[in-house]
Amino acid sequence: MMANIKKIGVMTSGGDSPGMNAAIRSVVRTCAFHKIECVGIYRGYEGMIEGDFISLDARSVKGIINKGGTFLKSARSKEFMTKEGRQKAYNALKAANIDAMVTIGGDGTFTGALVFNKEFNFPIMGIPGTIDNDIFGTSHTLGYDTALNTVVDVIDKIRDTASSHNRLFFIEVMGRDAGHIALNAGVGAGAEEILIPEEDLGLERLVDSLLRSKKSGKSSSIVVVAEGDKTGKNVFELKDYVNENMPEYDVRVSVLGHLQRGGSPSCFDRVLASRMGVRAVEDLINGKSNYMVGLLNDKINVTPLEQAVKGKSEINKELIRVSDIMST
Amino acid sequence: MMANIKKIGVMTSGGDSPGMNAAIRSVVRTCAFHKIECVGIYRGYEGMIEGDFISLDARSVKGIINKGGTFLKSARSKEFMTKEGRQKAYNALKAANIDAMVTIGGDGTFTGALVFNKEFNFPIMGIPGTIDNDIFGTSHTLGYDTALNTVVDVIDKIRDTASSHNRLFFIEVMGRDAGHIALNAGVGAGAEEILIPEEDLGLERLVDSLLRSKKSGKSSSIVVVAEGDKTGKNVFELKDYVNENMPEYDVRVSVLGHLQRGGSPSCFDRVLASRMGVRAVEDLINGKSNYMVGLLNDKINVTPLEQAVKGKSEINKELIRVSDIMST
Amino acid sequence: MMANIKKIGVMTSGGDSPGMNAAIRSVVRTCAFHKIECVGIYRGYEGMIEGDFISLDARSVKGIINKGGTFLKSARSKEFMTKEGRQKAYNALKAANIDAMVTIGGDGTFTGALVFNKEFNFPIMGIPGTIDNDIFGTSHTLGYDTALNTVVDVIDKIRDTASSHNRLFFIEVMGRDAGHIALNAGVGAGAEEILIPEEDLGLERLVDSLLRSKKSGKSSSIVVVAEGDKTGKNVFELKDYVNENMPEYDVRVSVLGHLQRGGSPSCFDRVLASRMGVRAVEDLINGKSNYMVGLLNDKINVTPLEQAVKGKSEINKELIRVSDIMST
Amino acid sequence: MMANIKKIGVMTSGGDSPGMNAAIRSVVRTCAFHKIECVGIYRGYEGMIEGDFISLDARSVKGIINKGGTFLKSARSKEFMTKEGRQKAYNALKAANIDAMVTIGGDGTFTGALVFNKEFNFPIMGIPGTIDNDIFGTSHTLGYDTALNTVVDVIDKIRDTASSHNRLFFIEVMGRDAGHIALNAGVGAGAEEILIPEEDLGLERLVDSLLRSKKSGKSSSIVVVAEGDKTGKNVFELKDYVNENMPEYDVRVSVLGHLQRGGSPSCFDRVLASRMGVRAVEDLINGKSNYMVGLLNDKINVTPLEQAVKGKSEINKELIRVSDIMST
């Protein structure tokens, strides 16, 4: 079915991630390719309510594929959570003759999009943009691969100083409810232990494992900890615990924080963003709505937004085992 | 079936690629985990013939997961192509009580392994290590993801100077018979045109497209060319051709060459190497032989070495279309 | 003496280099700080002749300090070499009420500036922007430090593959008449030999040295060659020569080319650009003209443009000796 | 005067910094060049006391010029602060026939060296290795330039997310008593404000300046804070203060921490390390002792260790002014 789409809006919402600019560029150029107008919506739902729009043609997105962040900016909007706010947003879209939109963000963004679609029957396609990789319906969210490279690069640096001083480092990485970054970057950085929300290792086991490491001749150790790990302790408490139970260790803490969100996107994220943008726009043109574009089995595919929001992105159990073996 | 494997050899052969060290580390640690001895074979089949071996335990591979190249070194061996050479290699392996081996390399490496297995019934598992991604049976070869990041990073740099001077650049990337690097890095770097061996764009179309680019307001252009592109011309001839047919362009050439092979592996390649090493060793322990470990649909799987050698890794047609749309 | 400067023009000319954007930003912000108007001149003298100007305030240069290249673009202008061209340029500047200008570039740029000043008594300050570091009156030109980091980073990558394969690499770096990049990046990358225009090593000595390297146990070698080295041979001829005289070596060539010009500037270049921009503008305000801002003994200072153009930036002889010792 | 030096020891002590490995390599190769034996001392004074030595020849330091940290490892030694400890150290050096030593580290390292020299008349040359650049007698300490690049690279990443969300970031960098990193990396990263120990900006002025920034149209802001800044508040307290006094700002904090110590050294640090190592060894050979090698006015020179320890490395006042102008 061919929808009569003449103008598409594109926006980024929620926490930013590398690749968002590349996805915007792809949406804009795919619109240009199909002779459809494209409009950028600033600051997510906030800017939508205010009608803070900008007309975008193929040339206006040149030179942004390699830039971190999102030039359309992102924000969280309380007003959009109210019926009145959404009505204003709808009015603004209509006033600008926008027929459909591509929204790039995470769970919160998609939940808002679903409500909005239900109320106003406004066609929407979602693109998963978050470094946490915690979205159901895609093996990779936009920005996740870049964040992994950023994290291993930083841990490589910390390893330099850790091994020069025979130190134990607890390194906290992002991922409030999802251990994807911790697990993958931990394996990638050759971490001795990895603490993730999905698994309860137990503090005694951690101490045991560190003792074994020490005995086996490891002079320094890196423990990667996801923000919301199951031990219930944050990295500073972990440090105190180990200090108390293993006084022979010189323990340090590093909280990587927001640097994980930035940086020029990896080739993987740029290509993924380009592919997702094409699909999102062409699905809107073909009359689809309420789907999220994702990468499944290495192919671009779509999942109903409702499922994407409800489902859970499972951690790779095989990789937990690989991690254990690598710590031998 | 449980084979009685007590000592496993590991080697790298053919062109080196980032992630080979991480794969060696994984093979060594998986052996240690299963209380099996592990032996490194230097310089591929050449060192195998000479019995140039080194005993490797879990600690001997520390600090190498993030190093480019291969510390076991690689080489091409003419002697191994002879029956006598292979007999010497077999004798050396037997003399060292090596029961099975993991070989990390590309097509040529695997072809040699198959012949060797046929002659001596020596258990072998292969791990695909090459930046070209031209191996059937895996969506990603080891080093490919890293090479893509290296290439887009370099093209980003060239883009800086190209757009400061309104120039047209022909950039040659590796991939003698496979356009994977050119296509993916080209899309990732936002190249205006991509020339690959799998597709014959035709020189007139290239000129047409560049003229259209110029008209549409693009002031500089990047054309990514795979070594063995279908135009039959190399980058210097392409430059001459465009110089003649589009004298208004200031054309430059850059041949990226060997820098694409080096560098610290990306997180993706380190994780992939770790997963592949575990599977290769455990399959040998379980009595398997003559398989290549690969990534298929995001899962670790195996393909008979024979198929891996005979099959062809297809280019992603969807991505060619995405590339066209992005050049709008 | 306080000149009555109300509007300053800024331009980049000649080959671009990392840090040019940071220097433009500094000129613009220093003007804003002193409540002086600032105008960007596009495409060097070419844009000056055409009156291709843009008004720049403090906010218009945000987010560019870390960008390679020059957003004002650069060009070489034949017309400016004629009296008529320069008259047009002067008319355009006067028509836009521009009282003085900061020109960022190399020798050619400054030579043009001197002629222009002589003819029209137009106040000019120069900032040395080129990766070659071949300007008299400054220990560091803008972009040089960044280029050195780019080159050692690339050679590190090539070293990975060189040592995996026991190969000899000839790597050509920029610097047509100046060996600064070759010498410093060569020492930084641990090159076995460095060939520069300032020194005639002689081909026999090169072969001798490589033979000694091989004997002393070095399995791979990197030889860094400046474009205009004294042997009179380019890297491909060097390869042939060594192939003939040392057939035991597997020799490869890599021409780094334009990637050396791009990339995000190093901290050093960003800080240097910021300091130079302040000085250039404040000297114009103070009635100075025809000077180049430079870094001398770690302090910002100025040199008459005439001297800068005539003088020669000498190679560091001590570093040549250090290089010899490091190759032991 | 020519001393009769036949064997030189080299060690790293105190906090590690990028370039230490390059300096060790230079010391080793300069010894080899002069046919002098060289011995590596592990873990600073700790290893010296224990006689934890390793013989090093030219080949044993290959492939380390580009590695962060120090392969000789570093430590702080309480025992060396006692007369008995130092006596043991001297005995160990004599037992190994070590005639002189090069010690790479910071203030604490040099203080220990001076005491040791006074007691045992043991020839010592110092090389300043610390990222803080807080040593008198050299414009640049080893590792400082690399740390600056690391910090601006990380702030560039944080800027991506800061400007996507219109946020204010307080970023804490290293430098307990010295604002060199904060000031230079702050200018390099285009920070809106920089808080350093050497200057008391005052909290009201900070708030004023941020308010002015906001009014002038800046949507996001980066404030770089040295660990020991003069406000007496750490970054978390600063955040609370601004939250209270400027509730309209979304404030975040990032403590960069140990990642600043690691990473592959910049070309500048590699070259500096190579030059310093040559000078240190040759001065020992020439009978000198108790000097620190430094870079002064772009030339390698020496300063009496006593002065190096007592003197203070002054902050660049001109750069503070440049920083203010850039924040316009």
Side-chain angles (χ1 to χ4, degrees):
Chain A
M1 192 194 72
M2 205 58 183
N4 197 9
I5 304 284
K6 287 180 184 148
K7 197 187 269 189
I8 287 177
V10 58
M11 61 169 239
T12 49
S13 170
D16 65 312
S17 72
M20 282 186 160
N21 277 326
I24 297 167
R25 172 182 179 267
S26 174
V27 167
V28 171
R29 296 226 166 142
T30 308
C31 286
F33 180 82
H34 289 291
K35 320 271 186 228
I36 286 173
E37 282 183 80
C38 190
V39 168
I41 301 165
Y42 281 113
R43 291 172 301 116
Y45 294 124
E46 199 72 22
M48 191 186 293
I49 288 170
E50 300 173 15
D52 193 2
F53 303 152
I54 181 172
S55 196
L56 298 170
D57 67 11
R59 290 290 67 70
S60 42
V61 289
K62 81 170 179 181
I64 68 167
I65 194 172
N66 61 346
K67 302 291 183 290
T70 159
F71 85 96
L72 289 179
K73 295 175 187 276
S74 186
R76 288 170 218 275
S77 170
K78 280 188 187 165
E79 200 177 352
F80 195 76
M81 292 182 186
T82 67
K83 181 76 214 256
E84 291 73 30
R86 292 189 295 273
Q87 182 67 53
K88 279 196 214 168
Y90 180 73
N91 297 346
L93 291 171
K94 281 291 112 181
N97 294 317
I98 299 172
D99 304 313
M101 75 170 167
V102 178
T103 181
I104 307 166
D107 262 5
T109 306
F110 296 155
T111 304
L114 277 170
V115 173
F116 190 70
N117 172 273
K118 203 173 254 177
E119 290 175 350
F120 301 103
N121 195 28
F122 195 84
I124 291 169
M125 288 292 292
I127 289 179
T130 163
I131 63 167
D132 292 340
N133 207 37
D134 58 350
I135 310 272
F136 179 84
T138 189
S139 61
H140 292 77
T141 54
L142 268 189
Y144 172 56
D145 182 69
T146 303
L148 290 181
N149 283 330
T150 300
V151 172
V152 298
D153 186 54
V154 169
I155 302 183
D156 283 355
K157 287 188 167 67
I158 294 177
R159 173 84 71 183
D160 283 343
T161 185
S163 56
S164 296
H165 286 279
N166 294 344
R167 279 175 179 157
L168 167 62
F169 267 87
F170 285 105
I171 300 176
E172 187 190 282
V173 301
M174 282 191 166
R176 205 167 296 277
D177 307 300
H180 295 284
I181 293 179
L183 180 57
N184 278 270
V187 170
E192 275 68 26
E193 289 294 337
I194 300 166
L195 307 184
I196 54 176
E198 289 85 352
E199 287 248 314
D200 190 356
L201 183 74
L203 286 174
E204 296 80 20
R205 227 205 78 172
L206 174 65
V207 168
D208 278 359
S209 155
L210 292 172
L211 287 174
R212 244 181 307 122
S213 275
K214 193 124 205 177
K215 263 185 212 153
S216 83
K218 286 197 189 178
S219 52
S220 64
S221 286
I222 301 286
V223 180
V224 174
V225 185
E227 280 171 300
D229 86 290
K230 260 285 174 54
T231 62
K233 294 189 181 297
N234 76 13
V235 277
F236 293 99
E237 292 171 308
L238 283 171
K239 180 191 166 182
D240 291 343
Y241 183 87
V242 170
N243 266 344
E244 220 166 276
N245 290 276
M246 303 174 66
E248 67 275 24
Y249 258 115
D250 183 9
V251 192
R252 302 291 160 118
V253 156
S254 186
V255 176
L256 298 195
H258 283 82
L259 66 91
Q260 298 167 79
R261 288 203 181 285
S264 181
S266 67
C267 185
F268 182 94
D269 275 328
R270 299 182 194 188
V271 171
L272 183 60
S274 302
R275 295 168 74 185
M276 284 178 161
V278 170
R279 178 65 177 260
V281 169
E282 298 196 333
D283 271 14
L284 284 175
I285 293 176
N286 291 325
K288 273 200 173 161
S289 179
N290 287 11
Y291 285 89
M292 184 192 80
V293 183
L295 189 70
L296 288 170
N297 294 335
D298 253 345
K299 285 186 189 58
I300 294 297
N301 220 319
V302 294
T303 301
L305 267 181
E306 199 127 20
Q307 279 180 35
V309 166
K310 281 188 190 152
K312 197 172 152 33
S313 160
E314 296 295 335
I315 205 90
N316 182 348
K317 299 275 179 192
E318 171 229 342
L319 193 51
I320 295 179
R321 189 169 172 266
V322 167
S323 159
D324 285 343
I325 294 175
M326 290 307 105
S327 303
T328 300
Chain B
M1 192 195 69
M2 204 58 183
N4 197 10
I5 304 285
K6 287 180 185 148
K7 198 187 268 189
I8 287 177
V10 57
M11 61 168 239
T12 48
S13 171
D16 65 312
S17 72
M20 282 187 160
N21 277 326
I24 297 166
R25 172 182 179 268
S26 175
V27 167
V28 171
R29 296 226 166 142
T30 308
C31 286
F33 181 83
H34 289 292
K35 320 272 185 227
I36 287 173
E37 282 183 81
C38 189
V39 168
I41 301 165
Y42 282 112
R43 292 172 300 118
Y45 294 123
E46 198 72 21
M48 191 186 292
I49 289 170
E50 299 174 15
D52 193 2
F53 303 153
I54 181 173
S55 196
L56 297 170
D57 67 9
R59 290 289 68 69
S60 42
V61 289
K62 83 170 179 182
I64 68 167
I65 194 172
N66 61 345
K67 302 292 183 289
T70 159
F71 85 96
L72 289 178
K73 294 176 188 276
S74 187
R76 288 168 219 275
S77 170
K78 280 188 187 165
E79 199 177 353
F80 194 77
M81 293 182 185
T82 67
K83 180 75 213 258
E84 294 72 30
R86 291 190 295 272
Q87 181 67 53
K88 280 196 214 167
Y90 180 73
N91 296 347
L93 291 171
K94 282 290 111 180
N97 294 316
I98 299 172
D99 304 313
M101 75 169 169
V102 177
T103 181
I104 307 166
D107 262 4
T109 306
F110 297 155
T111 305
L114 278 171
V115 174
F116 189 70
N117 172 273
K118 203 174 252 176
E119 290 175 350
F120 302 102
N121 195 27
F122 195 83
I124 290 169
M125 289 291 294
I127 290 178
T130 163
I131 62 166
D132 291 340
N133 206 37
D134 58 350
I135 311 271
F136 179 83
T138 189
S139 61
H140 292 77
T141 54
L142 268 188
Y144 171 56
D145 182 69
T146 303
L148 291 182
N149 283 330
T150 300
V151 171
V152 296
D153 187 54
V154 169
I155 301 183
D156 283 355
K157 286 187 167 68
I158 295 177
R159 172 84 70 183
D160 283 343
T161 185
S163 55
S164 296
H165 285 280
N166 294 345
R167 277 172 180 159
L168 166 63
F169 267 88
F170 285 105
I171 300 175
E172 187 190 281
V173 300
M174 282 192 166
R176 205 167 296 276
D177 306 302
H180 296 284
I181 292 180
L183 179 58
N184 277 270
V187 169
E192 275 68 25
E193 288 294 335
I194 300 167
L195 308 183
I196 55 176
E198 289 86 351
E199 287 247 314
D200 191 356
L201 183 75
L203 286 174
E204 295 81 20
R205 228 205 76 174
L206 174 65
V207 168
D208 278 359
S209 155
L210 292 173
L211 286 175
R212 243 180 307 121
S213 276
K214 194 124 203 176
K215 262 184 212 154
S216 83
K218 286 197 189 179
S219 51
S220 64
S221 288
I222 301 286
V223 180
V224 173
V225 185
E227 280 171 301
D229 85 290
K230 261 284 174 56
T231 64
K233 296 191 180 296
N234 76 13
V235 277
F236 294 99
E237 291 171 309
L238 283 170
K239 181 191 166 181
D240 292 343
Y241 183 87
V242 171
N243 266 343
E244 220 167 276
N245 291 276
M246 301 174 68
E248 67 275 26
Y249 258 114
D250 182 9
V251 192
R252 303 291 160 117
V253 157
S254 186
V255 176
L256 298 196
H258 283 82
L259 67 91
Q260 299 168 78
R261 288 204 180 286
S264 181
S266 67
C267 185
F268 182 94
D269 275 328
R270 299 182 193 188
V271 171
L272 183 61
S274 303
R275 295 168 74 185
M276 285 177 161
V278 169
R279 178 65 178 260
V281 170
E282 298 195 334
D283 271 14
L284 285 175
I285 293 176
N286 291 326
K288 274 201 170 159
S289 178
N290 287 12
Y291 285 89
M292 183 192 80
V293 183
L295 189 70
L296 289 170
N297 294 336
D298 252 344
K299 284 188 188 58
I300 293 298
N301 220 319
V302 295
T303 301
L305 267 180
E306 200 126 21
Q307 280 181 35
V309 167
K310 280 187 190 152
K312 197 172 153 32
S313 160
E314 297 294 336
I315 206 90
N316 183 347
K317 300 275 180 192
E318 170 230 341
L319 193 52
I320 295 179
R321 187 167 174 267
V322 167
S323 159
D324 286 342
I325 295 175
M326 289 307 104
S327 303
T328 301
Chain C
M1 190 194 72
M2 204 57 182
N4 197 11
I5 304 285
K6 288 182 185 147
K7 198 186 268 189
I8 288 177
V10 58
M11 61 169 241
T12 48
S13 170
D16 65 313
S17 72
M20 282 186 160
N21 278 325
I24 297 167
R25 171 182 179 268
S26 174
V27 167
V28 171
R29 295 226 167 141
T30 308
C31 285
F33 180 83
H34 289 292
K35 319 272 187 227
I36 287 173
E37 282 183 81
C38 190
V39 168
I41 301 165
Y42 281 111
R43 291 171 301 117
Y45 295 123
E46 198 71 22
M48 190 186 293
I49 290 170
E50 299 173 16
D52 193 1
F53 303 153
I54 181 173
S55 195
L56 297 171
D57 67 11
R59 289 290 67 71
S60 41
V61 289
K62 82 170 178 180
I64 69 167
I65 194 172
N66 62 345
K67 301 292 183 289
T70 160
F71 86 97
L72 288 179
K73 294 176 186 277
S74 186
R76 288 170 219 274
S77 169
K78 282 188 186 164
E79 199 176 353
F80 194 78
M81 293 181 186
T82 67
K83 179 77 213 257
E84 293 73 30
R86 291 190 295 274
Q87 181 68 53
K88 279 196 215 168
Y90 180 72
N91 296 347
L93 290 171
K94 282 291 112 182
N97 295 315
I98 298 173
D99 305 313
M101 75 170 167
V102 178
T103 181
I104 307 166
D107 262 3
T109 306
F110 296 155
T111 305
L114 278 170
V115 173
F116 189 71
N117 173 273
K118 202 173 254 177
E119 290 174 350
F120 302 102
N121 195 28
F122 195 84
I124 290 169
M125 288 292 293
I127 289 178
T130 162
I131 62 167
D132 291 341
N133 206 38
D134 57 351
I135 311 272
F136 178 83
T138 188
S139 61
H140 291 77
T141 54
L142 268 190
Y144 172 55
D145 182 69
T146 303
L148 290 181
N149 283 329
T150 301
V151 171
V152 296
D153 186 55
V154 168
I155 301 184
D156 283 355
K157 286 189 168 67
I158 294 177
R159 173 84 71 184
D160 284 342
T161 185
S163 56
S164 297
H165 285 279
N166 294 346
R167 279 175 179 157
L168 167 62
F169 267 88
F170 285 106
I171 300 176
E172 186 191 283
V173 301
M174 283 191 165
R176 205 166 297 275
D177 307 301
H180 296 284
I181 293 180
L183 179 58
N184 278 270
V187 170
E192 276 68 26
E193 289 293 338
I194 300 167
L195 307 183
I196 55 176
E198 289 86 351
E199 288 248 313
D200 190 356
L201 183 73
L203 286 174
E204 296 80 21
R205 227 205 77 173
L206 174 65
V207 168
D208 278 359
S209 155
L210 292 172
L211 286 174
R212 244 181 307 121
S213 275
K214 194 124 204 176
K215 263 184 212 153
S216 82
K218 286 198 190 178
S219 52
S220 63
S221 288
I222 301 285
V223 180
V224 174
V225 185
E227 280 171 301
D229 86 290
K230 260 285 173 54
T231 64
K233 295 190 180 295
N234 76 13
V235 278
F236 293 99
E237 292 171 308
L238 282 171
K239 182 191 165 182
D240 292 344
Y241 183 86
V242 170
N243 267 344
E244 221 164 276
N245 291 276
M246 303 174 67
E248 66 275 24
Y249 257 115
D250 182 9
V251 192
R252 302 292 160 119
V253 157
S254 186
V255 176
L256 298 196
H258 283 82
L259 67 90
Q260 298 167 80
R261 287 204 181 284
S264 181
S266 67
C267 184
F268 182 95
D269 276 328
R270 298 182 194 188
V271 171
L272 183 60
S274 303
R275 295 169 74 185
M276 285 177 161
V278 169
R279 178 65 178 261
V281 170
E282 298 195 333
D283 271 14
L284 284 175
I285 293 176
N286 291 326
K288 273 201 171 159
S289 179
N290 286 12
Y291 285 89
M292 184 192 79
V293 183
L295 189 71
L296 288 169
N297 294 334
D298 253 345
K299 285 188 188 57
I300 294 298
N301 220 318
V302 295
T303 300
L305 268 180
E306 200 125 21
Q307 281 181 34
V309 166
K310 281 186 190 152
K312 197 171 153 35
S313 160
E314 296 295 335
I315 205 88
N316 183 347
K317 299 274 179 193
E318 171 230 342
L319 194 51
I320 295 179
R321 188 169 173 267
V322 167
S323 159
D324 285 342
I325 295 175
M326 290 305 107
S327 303
T328 301
Chain D
M1 192 195 69
M2 203 61 180
N4 197 10
I5 304 284
K6 287 181 184 148
K7 197 187 269 189
I8 288 177
V10 57
M11 60 168 240
T12 49
S13 171
D16 65 312
S17 73
M20 282 186 160
N21 277 325
I24 297 167
R25 171 182 179 268
S26 174
V27 167
V28 171
R29 296 225 166 142
T30 307
C31 286
F33 181 83
H34 290 291
K35 319 273 186 225
I36 287 173
E37 282 183 81
C38 190
V39 168
I41 301 165
Y42 281 112
R43 291 172 300 118
Y45 295 123
E46 199 71 22
M48 191 186 291
I49 290 170
E50 299 173 16
D52 193 2
F53 302 154
I54 182 172
S55 196
L56 297 170
D57 67 10
R59 289 289 69 70
S60 41
V61 289
K62 82 170 179 180
I64 68 166
I65 194 173
N66 61 344
K67 301 292 184 288
T70 159
F71 85 97
L72 289 178
K73 294 177 188 276
S74 187
R76 287 169 219 275
S77 170
K78 281 187 187 165
E79 200 177 352
F80 195 78
M81 293 182 184
T82 67
K83 179 78 213 253
E84 294 72 30
R86 292 190 295 272
Q87 182 67 54
K88 279 195 215 169
Y90 180 73
N91 297 347
L93 291 170
K94 282 290 112 180
N97 294 316
I98 298 172
D99 305 313
M101 74 169 169
V102 178
T103 181
I104 307 165
D107 261 3
T109 306
F110 296 155
T111 305
L114 278 171
V115 174
F116 189 71
N117 173 273
K118 203 173 253 177
E119 290 174 350
F120 301 102
N121 195 28
F122 195 84
I124 290 169
M125 288 291 293
I127 289 178
T130 162
I131 62 167
D132 291 340
N133 206 37
D134 57 351
I135 311 271
F136 179 84
T138 189
S139 61
H140 292 77
T141 54
L142 268 190
Y144 171 56
D145 182 68
T146 304
L148 290 182
N149 283 329
T150 301
V151 172
V152 298
D153 186 54
V154 168
I155 301 184
D156 282 355
K157 286 187 168 68
I158 294 177
R159 173 83 71 185
D160 284 342
T161 185
S163 55
S164 296
H165 286 279
N166 295 345
R167 278 173 180 157
L168 167 63
F169 267 88
F170 285 105
I171 300 177
E172 188 191 282
V173 301
M174 282 191 166
R176 204 167 298 276
D177 306 301
H180 296 284
I181 293 180
L183 180 57
N184 278 269
V187 170
E192 275 68 24
E193 289 294 337
I194 300 167
L195 308 183
I196 55 176
E198 289 86 351
E199 288 247 315
D200 190 356
L201 183 74
L203 285 175
E204 295 80 20
R205 225 205 79 172
L206 174 65
V207 168
D208 278 359
S209 154
L210 292 173
L211 286 174
R212 243 181 308 119
S213 276
K214 194 124 205 178
K215 262 185 210 152
S216 83
K218 285 198 189 179
S219 51
S220 63
S221 288
I222 301 285
V223 180
V224 173
V225 185
E227 280 172 300
D229 85 290
K230 260 286 175 54
T231 64
K233 296 188 180 295
N234 76 13
V235 278
F236 293 99
E237 292 172 307
L238 282 171
K239 180 191 166 182
D240 292 344
Y241 183 86
V242 170
N243 266 343
E244 220 165 276
N245 291 275
M246 302 174 66
E248 67 276 23
Y249 257 115
D250 182 10
V251 192
R252 303 290 161 119
V253 157
S254 186
V255 177
L256 298 195
H258 284 81
L259 67 90
Q260 298 168 79
R261 288 204 180 285
S264 181
S266 66
C267 184
F268 182 94
D269 276 328
R270 299 182 193 188
V271 171
L272 183 61
S274 302
R275 296 168 74 185
M276 285 177 161
V278 169
R279 178 66 178 260
V281 170
E282 299 195 332
D283 271 14
L284 284 176
I285 294 176
N286 291 326
K288 274 200 171 161
S289 178
N290 287 12
Y291 286 89
M292 183 192 80
V293 184
L295 189 70
L296 289 169
N297 294 336
D298 253 346
K299 285 188 189 56
I300 294 297
N301 220 318
V302 294
T303 300
L305 267 180
E306 200 127 19
Q307 281 181 35
V309 166
K310 280 187 192 152
K312 197 170 153 34
S313 160
E314 296 295 336
I315 206 87
N316 183 348
K317 300 275 179 191
E318 171 230 340
L319 193 51
I320 295 179
R321 187 168 174 268
V322 167
S323 160
D324 285 343
I325 296 175
M326 290 305 107
S327 302
T328 301

